[in-house]
Amino acid sequence: MTTAGSTTVHSVNRRTVRPVAPPRNGFERAAWVFMRYSGLVLVFLALSHWGFQHIFNSVQNLTLESTAGRWGVTGQIATLQIWFWRVYYGLLLGLAMLHGLNGLRQVVYDYMHFKPLYWGFMTVSTLLIVAVSAAGIAALFLGVNIAAVGGAAVR
Amino acid sequence: MKVHLKIKRFNPEKDKKPYWGEYDIEADEGDRVLDALQTVKWTIDGTLNFRRSCAHGICGSDAVRINGRNVLACKLLIRDAVKNGQITVEPILGLPLIKDLIVDMEPFFAHYRAVMPYLINDTDPGERERLQSPEERARYDDTTKCILCACCTTSCPSFWARGEYVGPAAIVQAHRFIFDSRDEGAAQRLQVLAEPDGVWRCRTIFNCTEVCPRDIQVTKAIGEVKRALITGKLD
Amino acid sequence: MAQYHQFDALVIGAGGSGLMSALYASKSVNTAVISKLYPTRSHTGAAQGGISAALGNMEPDKWEWHAYDTIKGGDFLCDQDAVDILCKEAIHAVIDLEHMGLPFDRTPDGKISQRRFGGHTNNETKKPVMRACHAADRTGHMILQTLYQQCIKNNVRFFDEFQMVDMITVDGACRGIVAVELNTGELHVFHAKAVMLATGGFGKVWKITSNAHSLTGDGPAIILRKSLPLEDMEFYQFHPTGIYKMGILLSEAARGEGAVFINDKGERFMERYAPTMKDLASRDVCSRSIYKEVRAGNGIGGKDYVYLDFRPDRINKYLEADGSSRRVDAEYIETRLPDIIEFVRVYMGIDPITEPVPIQPTAHYAMGGIPTDLDARVLADEKGTVVEGLYAAGEAACVSVHGANRLGTNSLVDLIVYGRRGGIHMAEYAKQVDFKLIGDDAHKAAEDTLNAIRNNAGSEHPGQIRKELQMHMDEHVGVFRTQEKLEEALEEIHRLKERYRHIHIDDKGRRWNTDLMEAWELGCLLDLAEVTAVSALAREESRGGHYREDFPNRDDQNFLKHTMVWSDNRITYKPVRIGRYQPTERKY
Amino acid sequence: MSTLFTTVRDTLRYKGREGQWLWVLHRISGLGILFYLILHIYDMSLAYFNVPVHEQLMALFKTPVFSALEMVLAALLVFHAVNGVRVALLDLRPALWARQQLATRLALIITVVIAAPTIIIMLIYTINAHLSAAATTAIR
Ligand SMILES: Cc1cc2nc3c(=O)[nH]c(=O)nc-3n(C[C@H](O)[C@H](O)[C@H](O)COP(=O)(O)OP(=O)(O)OC[C@H]3O[C@@H](n4cnc5c(N)ncnc54)[C@H](O)[C@@H]3O)c2cc1C
Ligand code: HEM
Ligand code: SF4
Ligand code: F3S
Ligand code: FES
């Protein structure tokens, strides 16, 4: 590039990076970042889970027994393998539900402009999702309640 | 060549609902669609209304939707606009319709004003110009080109969903100052943009970038603002 | 009934001049801006090349050189005291703009970058000087945006999409204006102590023009209707480089960067017409040269256009021939002239980096307009009587710093220097006086005019009249003029004015009735076309932008004076204020 | 809620490019997956809290209608994942913005490449299961 001849003075700044104070309201920012990173983690968790359930195996073959094989049975002492599944499913469930809940919030925020309606809907949805998630986690840790259908058939 | 124009018409003093006005005109291939609209107005139907001024893509008056997509009517040539001998012209979306192709721009400019679109720097600059290196100047060059035509904001699905979203144009304007090395108001502007109706509403859809008549990398500018919010650094 | 508003200072027009004066007036008094367009749509945004000020950032320069160039460019018709103010204050004004945040391009050491422009020289070497401060080729855009931004910052009150249709005068003093709110069709009376007319040019009198559809000279036309005179209306600038047939401007900055004119034979013909400045001679000279080439049969393919060539290899060839060590490449041209390159690509479908561009002169700028004094106060006659409370600045006004021909970049300087002076003076004035009464029926005349147009049941179509007007003006009141042509034009204009009385419009509604407003604007165009032709007919000499083939020489003996023209076609003259520079022959 | 109507209407009226349609799909798929997941977790939790109902639901999920829905869901999940990665990468790596048109196409291609075989395998499993079930009943 041709520039008209002029002496160069080195006092001017050639780098353009500057710090800036972060804003007070960090919630939306945190939510935004969370959506991206949780999404990236979920790719591995969700797709592998889907793979186990639908490709290497099938819902058609899914039985109480096969579930118990991973969760263990109520009252059983958890083996290392069971702990693995607990962590795996716990993480999957937690991340997916949080990710989904925030996703739902974004969508609802777009469409429900009447504040009470928005808050009402989100309260109910959050309660529902939290309750279901809690139940899911509880079940995961408590194991399959084989006793309820007549004893230790699996083992 | 012969062109069949289909124009969305609406007169608030008469019509309950918008309807299609259809016009056949003779136009040159190299004419602008704006010229075709003028031809209709000046020779067929004087009641047709649209905004226009410069006629060469510099003033931002005539953002409309041609064949379904936002453009400046003066920046699209007939030969590129005709599809099967026909051109469809409609008002832009997401802003209240006033008359024919004219929409209420006030909400758009309100968002513009909300981001403090002016240099903030209270130190005394002295007698001569503030110095700025060509590199620093280049940093925000892209976003200085904006002509506030609203093509971007009114093509954004997030904006259609929620008019409170400041929209890409306002973010572009904010970007122009945030990344100007002479400006000291970056933190204040980022505060506005960090609100729920600020940059986080942007879902990286790219409609804005695709329609910007000034070829501004709108999504990139928005992304850079997001990054500044996340990293606390302007780079 | 009309709505009523009251402001100390009222600015009509939100282009560079309007915003600058509003900005300065609003610092001390209650100020409002009325504009028929959203401020950022004003045509100042179309200005491309630059704004001159003798900053001397790139090479030695002095404001006195700038002043001399301006006066010489104006063919010695400029009022030299006004030019001195212009060029001296330009330096501060440009730096003021930088402080407001205007993103000028920069030199490697961080200062405002400058480039060459037509007619701007180093008075000692006579070579082109780098004086035009620029932000790529969007300088006007940046000025407009920056000033609007500052007005927002200072909470200036805006009435956007309000069109002035009448001025309120009582006892020869201005006390406000009447405007239509386009969105409702309602009339508003704006009562003010001081009113600034900054409504821009009236290029739409011609067909091939660089001007916007909205440039219909509303301000000057209203002045005529108030029995006030306009100054130097025969001096209208035809810019040499408009895109062929469309008139879209390709800035002189292109030639400042090295582009040249080429005729059908591939000759760089400006060497013949202006041996020193060549392609950077002043605009009137270039425009005439182009048409002379066309007449000599050297137009491209024998047609009425020539090429502007800014292919980098050609530029380098010519730079070498001129003995310059500067060289350019495609990337440099693209970063220096991004917008005009895009115009060519979009509107002509050719790439100026690889092909020469067909251009033809285009109606561009009104040197004349509303006569004002050095503080932008409007003058009522050739004796210098001030119209109380009335100001004008920008292209609508005539101070006269441009004389018979404006130098490139000097309009933007004019806007900010005299816009600012006007703004400051308005505020001072408004602080000293009280509101004077206006009648309850101040809006009546405007209402009647508009209703007359709306309800007229004639058979004439305004669109047709406009088309014919523009055609006649292009043909007869263009770059070359003769008594015969001008008389013919005048006759046509009178005929069109008669037909205008029998127009009808289609839209009878109130809201956004642009049919009505365009018909009203057509009335302004007709009035301005008429006084332009009248003034041109009376000036029997050639000077700057006004070229009479029947009087091809400048005649300082009889015509070193400003024309003042009234709506009844009466003409008077007022002397040119000469300062340090005596008129000499103009050579480039 | 009227804005839901306007967004849907405007989205249909506006001739956006890939980015717009991918966004629509992303939104629908996200909500779809969420809805499915709530059901699924509820169901699985019953493996502890109420096994008989759990068993009933499992049977329901094995019916052809639900199998078909599951296949749709598979496609949606794969799409949501791939497109989510596209969006996240574009957002976190600005250098890629210049290639966004390519990115949208790649996302669609990758989705199809992963989803199509998945669905075929699911289809095979389902058909097999129903055939063998039929066979079992026939033998009985
Ligand atoms: C294409 C082009 C390129 C140019 N390049 C250069 C350059 O490089 N350098 C240079 O110095 N000059 C240049 N000029 C000239 C210069 O840009 C103009 O002369 C200048 O911008 C005029 O400014 P203004 O403030 O007088 O009016 P404008 O910017 O034209 O604004 C007029 C204002 O008045 C308002 N208005 C008009 N009528 C009414 C009414 N009835 N009621 C209410 N409001 C009204 C309009 O809405 C608008 O806001 C160029 C001009 C053109 C056309
Ligand atoms: C498999 C990996 C996944 C990835 C990579 C992923 C990625 C993303 C990303 C990046 C977003 C943000 C989009 C935006 O802001 O524009 C998002 C939104 C969303 N996700 Fe996911 N996600 C995944 C799984 C899930 C799951 C399992 C659910 C359901 C529980 C889900 C539900 C949603 C919802 C409802 C949204 C909001 C959509 C919107 O705002 O339009 N996602 N996803
Ligand atoms: S960013 Fe582009 S599309 Fe948006 S308002 Fe500015 S110029 Fe128009
Ligand atoms: S279209 Fe809208 S969602 Fe973001 S990338 Fe553009 S602003
Ligand atoms: S009329 Fe000015 S941008 Fe189209």
Side-chain angles (χ1 to χ4, degrees):
Chain A
M1 206 172 117
T2 329
T3 19
S6 181
T7 49
T8 307
V9 179
H10 291 285
S11 63
V12 293
N13 200 1
R14 277 167 217 294
R15 294 191 52 237
T16 52
V17 187
R18 288 179 294 151
V20 64
R24 289 186 303 272
N25 179 359
F27 177 71
E28 286 291 336
R29 173 182 61 183
W32 189 86
V33 174
F34 170 76
M35 286 307 269
R36 322 283 126 173
Y37 286 107
S38 64
L40 292 179
V41 176
L42 278 169
V43 173
F44 298 103
L45 294 177
L47 290 189
S48 59
H49 172 61
W50 193 268
F52 291 140
Q53 296 305 333
H54 296 272
I55 299 174
F56 302 113
N57 204 332
S58 166
V59 177
Q60 301 296 339
N61 305 336
L62 196 66
T63 58
L64 204 55
E65 291 75 24
S66 61
T67 310
R70 271 170 285 147
W71 293 16
V73 177
T74 314
Q76 182 195 12
I77 311 236
T79 61
L80 208 60
Q81 199 192 358
I82 289 176
W83 269 110
F84 169 79
W85 288 113
R86 279 181 184 176
V87 172
Y88 174 84
Y89 281 124
L91 216 63
L92 174 56
L93 187 154
L95 276 182
M97 288 312 233
L98 257 182
H99 178 102
L101 180 61
N102 189 52
L104 180 69
R105 184 184 66 88
Q106 291 176 3
V107 177
V108 173
Y109 184 80
D110 269 356
Y111 300 126
M112 292 184 185
H113 294 188
F114 183 54
K115 279 275 144 79
L117 185 67
Y118 168 77
W119 284 111
F121 188 92
M122 278 319 294
T123 311
V124 172
S125 313
T126 310
L127 285 178
L128 178 77
I129 289 178
V130 168
V132 170
S133 305
I137 303 257
L140 184 59
F141 280 81
L142 291 170
V144 175
N145 196 352
I146 292 289
V149 279
V154 212
R155 269 168 286 167
Chain B
M1 64 193 283
K2 283 210 181 315
V3 178
H4 183 71
L5 276 170
K6 244 180 103 180
I7 305 174
K8 219 18 157 337
R9 300 295 308 270
F10 176 67
N11 180 349
E13 292 166 274
K14 280 204 205 119
D15 308 324
K16 287 220 178 64
K17 268 180 23 191
Y19 63 97
W20 289 108
E22 315 226 358
Y23 312 89
D24 287 298
I25 60 157
E26 189 60 43
D28 222 47
E29 283 212 333
D31 281 356
R32 301 156 268 211
V33 176
L34 179 65
D35 298 324
L37 293 177
Q38 295 286 16
T39 307
V40 172
K41 182 172 181 63
W42 288 341
T43 62
I44 304 178
D45 184 352
T47 66
L48 176 65
N49 276 283
F50 48 90
R51 291 191 180 97
R52 88 281 177 272
S53 182
C54 72
H56 65 286
I58 230 53
C59 75
S61 297
D62 57 346
V64 289
R65 215 150 32 98
I66 297 179
N67 300 334
R69 185 172 301 167
N70 285 2
V71 287
L72 298 176
C74 64
K75 239 194 146 170
L76 186 66
L77 301 188
I78 303 267
R79 79 166 89 86
D80 301 321
V82 232
K83 300 263 142 60
N84 307 322
Q86 176 171 313
I87 302 174
T88 317
V89 189
E90 296 163 87
I92 46 178
L93 296 166
L95 292 169
L97 181 62
I98 296 181
K99 186 175 181 181
D100 293 341
L101 300 174
I102 294 171
V103 297
D104 182 1
M105 298 293 289
E106 224 19 72
F108 174 79
F109 280 103
H111 287 318
Y112 166 71
R113 290 190 293 268
V115 299
M116 294 172 273
Y118 38 77
L119 191 81
I120 299 176
N121 184 336
D122 294 331
T123 55
D124 178 15
E127 286 295 298
R128 296 294 300 193
E129 66 261 48
R130 291 189 174 95
L131 295 183
Q132 182 169 56
S133 69
E135 291 81 359
E136 288 171 318
R137 168 65 180 77
R139 180 63 193 85
Y140 64 100
D141 183 63
D142 201 35
T143 43
T144 61
K145 299 187 303 197
C146 174
I147 52 175
L148 295 167
C149 66
C151 275
C152 54
T153 297
T154 60
S155 75
C156 174
S158 272
F159 181 73
W160 303 332
R162 195 172 162 80
E164 289 88 339
Y165 168 37
V166 294
I171 303 174
V172 160
Q173 290 291 334
H175 179 280
R176 177 248 170 278
F177 288 100
I178 291 172
F179 289 90
D180 185 338
S181 59
R182 299 169 296 172
D183 182 80
E184 291 173 351
Q188 280 163 271
R189 287 188 200 93
L190 288 178
Q191 188 63 52
V192 175
L193 295 176
E195 293 299 316
D197 286 315
V199 283
W200 308 120
R201 288 286 103 201
C202 166
R203 314 245 78 98
T204 324
I205 295 171
F206 280 100
N207 272 4
C208 52
T209 307
E210 269 154 2
V211 295
C212 177
R214 304 287 286 154
D215 286 334
I216 296 170
Q217 294 295 309
V218 183
T219 311
K220 183 167 175 220
I222 299 172
E224 287 172 354
V225 172
K226 286 176 184 163
R227 266 161 51 96
L229 279 169
I230 290 166
T231 60
K233 242 182 5 203
L234 302 172
D235 66 2
Chain C
M1 236 339 269
Q3 289 193 40
Y4 174 84
H5 312 264
Q6 203 182 52
F7 291 95
D8 292 327
L10 199 62
V11 177
I12 320 301
S17 54
L19 293 179
M20 193 74 177
S21 56
L23 195 56
Y24 274 89
S26 69
K27 289 190 179 178
S28 54
V29 298
N30 188 11
T31 307
V33 179
I34 293 166
S35 173
K36 66 177 175 182
L37 304 171
Y38 270 104
T40 55
R41 318 280 187 237
S42 303
H43 209 55
T44 295
Q48 302 165 354
I51 172 165
S52 278
L55 299 180
N57 278 357
M58 321 281 292
E59 54 190 16
D61 200 2
K62 295 189 184 136
W63 71 260
E64 288 90 346
W65 294 353
H66 186 186
Y68 178 72
D69 290 341
T70 302
I71 293 162
K72 179 182 168 196
D75 225 348
F76 297 92
L77 195 74
C78 316
D79 286 330
Q80 297 191 7
D81 50 352
V83 174
D84 280 354
I85 290 176
L86 181 85
C87 299
K88 209 177 337 177
E89 292 190 5
I91 299 174
H92 176 74
V94 164
I95 296 206
D96 195 17
L97 286 176
E98 197 283 333
H99 291 168
M100 291 179 195
L102 197 140
F104 282 112
D105 287 352
R106 299 290 170 156
T107 63
D109 48 346
K111 293 193 274 189
I112 296 173
S113 169
Q114 299 181 280
R115 63 156 71 109
R116 299 186 177 84
F117 234 83
H120 293 276
T121 64
N122 176 319
N123 284 189
E124 280 158 13
T125 63
K126 311 282 182 228
K127 286 266 162 62
V129 70
M130 293 190 229
R131 185 181 289 150
C133 311
H134 57 92
D137 52 359
R138 336 189 157 93
T139 317
H141 165 78
M142 302 297 190
I143 290 179
L144 187 63
Q145 296 280 332
T146 302
L147 290 174
Y148 184 50
Q149 290 156 3
Q150 290 298 311
C151 285
I152 290 178
K153 190 176 182 184
N154 289 337
N155 290 315
V156 175
R157 183 77 191 275
F158 280 97
F159 292 87
D160 297 333
E161 303 191 322
F162 277 62
Q163 182 161 3
M164 167 180 70
V165 286
D166 196 12
M167 197 164 81
I168 305 167
T169 48
V170 182
D171 303 331
C174 175
R175 296 195 181 165
I177 64 117
V178 183
V180 182
E181 178 179 3
L182 297 178
N183 189 19
T184 58
E186 242 180 306
L187 284 177
H188 292 244
V189 167
F190 289 88
H191 187 184
K193 294 178 184 170
V195 173
M196 159 76 73
L197 299 181
T199 55
F202 51 89
K204 277 292 152 183
V205 164
W206 286 269
K207 177 163 175 278
I208 304 286
T209 174
S210 64
N211 280 204
H213 283 292
S214 55
L215 289 178
T216 49
D218 305 1
I222 286 175
I223 285 286
L224 280 178
R225 290 168 193 180
K226 290 289 156 184
S227 304
L228 291 167
L230 294 179
E231 183 175 338
D232 287 344
M233 290 298 283
E234 64 273 38
F235 295 105
Y236 199 89
Q237 180 168 78
F238 292 83
H239 194 293
T241 53
I243 290 185
Y244 182 50
K245 281 192 174 159
M246 288 193 166
I248 297 171
L249 195 81
L250 300 181
S251 169
E252 210 159 307
R255 279 171 289 140
E257 299 294 355
V260 294
F261 292 117
I262 299 290
N263 66 15
D264 199 34
K265 297 184 185 146
E267 291 170 336
R268 184 187 185 186
F269 58 84
M270 283 311 292
E271 283 177 333
R272 279 186 270 127
Y273 299 97
T276 319
M277 291 292 279
K278 297 177 186 160
D279 301 89
L280 280 174
S282 73
R283 292 176 179 174
D284 54 329
V285 175
C286 293
S287 288
R288 276 194 297 277
S289 308
I290 292 172
Y291 276 134
K292 282 180 187 157
E293 287 299 300
V294 167
R295 284 186 177 182
N298 292 339
I300 306 301
K303 295 228 202 70
D304 57 342
Y305 67 94
V306 297
Y307 283 140
L308 179 67
D309 193 349
F310 45 120
R311 291 175 286 185
D313 53 325
R314 300 307 167 100
I315 292 181
N316 287 337
K317 211 180 89 196
Y318 291 113
L319 283 173
E320 195 176 345
D322 288 350
S324 164
S325 62
R326 222 166 59 93
R327 293 293 176 270
V328 302
D329 57 24
E331 187 200 328
Y332 174 81
I333 294 291
E334 297 241 18
T335 51
R336 280 311 187 88
L337 307 166
D339 276 10
I340 63 175
I341 287 183
E342 194 192 323
F343 295 151
V344 177
R345 288 185 182 145
V346 170
Y347 296 107
M348 302 235 64
I350 64 175
D351 187 351
I353 298 292
T354 56
E355 280 171 89
V357 184
I359 54 100
Q360 109 196 94
T362 179
H364 183 57
Y365 182 86
M367 270 75 73
I370 308 169
T372 69
D373 71 2
L374 299 179
D375 286 309
R377 291 186 295 179
V378 172
L379 303 176
D381 53 35
E382 67 281 3
K383 293 191 277 298
T385 316
V386 168
V387 181
E388 200 138 329
L390 188 59
Y391 295 73
E395 193 171 336
C398 175
V399 227
S400 129
V401 288
H402 306 307
N405 170 61
R406 170 174 75 84
L407 283 196
T409 73
N410 267 356
S411 168
L412 294 177
V413 187
D414 182 13
L415 304 185
I416 58 167
V417 168
Y418 284 98
R420 176 169 161 278
R421 289 179 77 89
I424 292 173
H425 201 278
M426 278 170 98
E428 288 309 313
Y429 174 79
K431 274 188 273 183
Q432 285 161 17
V433 300
D434 288 325
F435 281 101
K436 303 206 184 74
L437 281 183
I438 57 171
D440 285 343
D441 56 352
H443 65 288
K444 198 76 182 74
E447 189 165 39
D448 291 347
T449 314
L450 291 179
N451 278 340
I453 300 176
R454 196 197 310 267
N455 301 327
N456 209 353
S459 59
E460 293 288 348
H461 204 289
Q464 185 60 28
I465 296 181
R466 186 188 306 105
K467 202 168 139 190
E468 288 181 32
L469 171 72
Q470 293 173 339
M471 205 184 68
H472 290 303
M473 290 299 283
D474 269 13
E475 253 166 54
H476 303 312
V477 198
V479 173
F480 291 108
R481 301 161 175 187
T482 62
Q483 178 175 354
E484 200 185 333
K485 279 191 188 172
L486 289 169
E487 278 170 350
E488 197 180 322
L490 207 49
E491 228 169 84
E492 280 301 338
I493 294 168
H494 288 148
R495 225 171 286 150
L496 290 172
K497 280 189 109 169
E498 180 53 33
R499 281 169 63 190
Y500 177 71
R501 295 177 46 213
H502 305 287
I503 53 166
H504 77 273
I505 59 170
D506 297 342
D507 199 339
K508 310 284 183 198
R510 304 238 147 233
R511 301 195 63 183
W512 264 105
N513 190 341
T514 53
D515 204 18
L516 176 66
M517 297 323 294
E518 281 189 4
W520 180 82
E521 288 169 348
L522 175 59
C524 298
L525 291 179
L526 286 165
D527 289 352
L528 295 170
E530 181 182 11
V531 294
T532 300
V534 167
S535 307
L537 193 55
R539 185 173 285 272
E540 301 188 326
E541 64 155 352
S542 289
R543 182 189 297 271
H546 174 69
Y547 191 83
R548 287 282 298 262
E549 290 185 275
D550 38 0
F551 300 94
N553 296 318
R554 198 171 85 192
D555 178 0
D556 287 341
Q557 207 69 45
N558 296 309
F559 286 102
L560 188 60
K561 55 190 183 184
H562 297 291
T563 313
M564 305 287 260
V565 63
W566 272 263
S567 62
D568 55 6
N569 295 357
R570 183 160 49 96
I571 281 185
T572 57
Y573 291 97
K574 83 173 180 186
V576 174
R577 291 195 300 276
I578 304 285
R580 276 169 287 143
Y581 306 108
Q582 285 305 315
T584 54
E585 198 200 335
R586 199 164 61 126
K587 266 203 297 231
Y588 282 105
Chain D
M1 286 307 278
S2 66
T3 50
L4 176 57
F5 171 72
T6 36
T7 330
V8 171
R9 189 194 58 190
D10 291 352
T11 308
L12 293 176
R13 279 176 172 181
Y14 189 83
K15 196 159 159 279
R17 287 259 178 83
E18 298 88 339
Q20 178 181 324
W21 301 109
L22 261 52
W23 164 76
V24 171
L25 257 183
H26 195 79
R27 188 152 267 204
I28 294 173
S29 59
L31 293 177
I33 300 164
L34 178 63
F35 183 72
Y36 166 82
L37 219 63
I38 292 174
L39 266 185
H40 176 59
I41 294 173
Y42 169 71
D43 166 39
M44 290 312 284
S45 71
L46 294 183
Y48 173 76
F49 291 105
N50 193 338
V51 181
V53 178
H54 170 72
E55 297 259 69
Q56 276 170 14
L57 282 175
M58 286 309 288
L60 185 66
F61 285 155
K62 288 175 188 171
T63 58
V65 176
F66 275 83
S67 298
L69 282 179
E70 237 167 17
M71 286 168 216
V72 173
L73 200 79
L76 288 183
L77 179 70
V78 173
F79 168 78
H80 190 92
V82 175
N83 191 53
V85 171
R86 175 187 71 98
V87 171
L89 282 185
L90 282 177
D91 280 339
L92 302 170
R93 284 269 156 274
L96 301 173
W97 278 311
R99 319 277 295 171
Q100 63 97 2
Q101 294 261 358
L102 179 70
T104 52
R105 269 156 225 179
L106 270 181
L108 284 175
I109 293 172
I110 296 177
T111 302
V112 173
V113 166
I114 301 181
T118 311
I119 290 177
I120 293 173
I121 294 174
M122 288 171 71
L123 205 61
I124 295 172
Y125 274 122
T126 312
I127 294 172
N128 272 346
H130 286 285
L131 283 183
S132 60
T136 335
T137 15
I139 291 165
R140 279 201 196 138

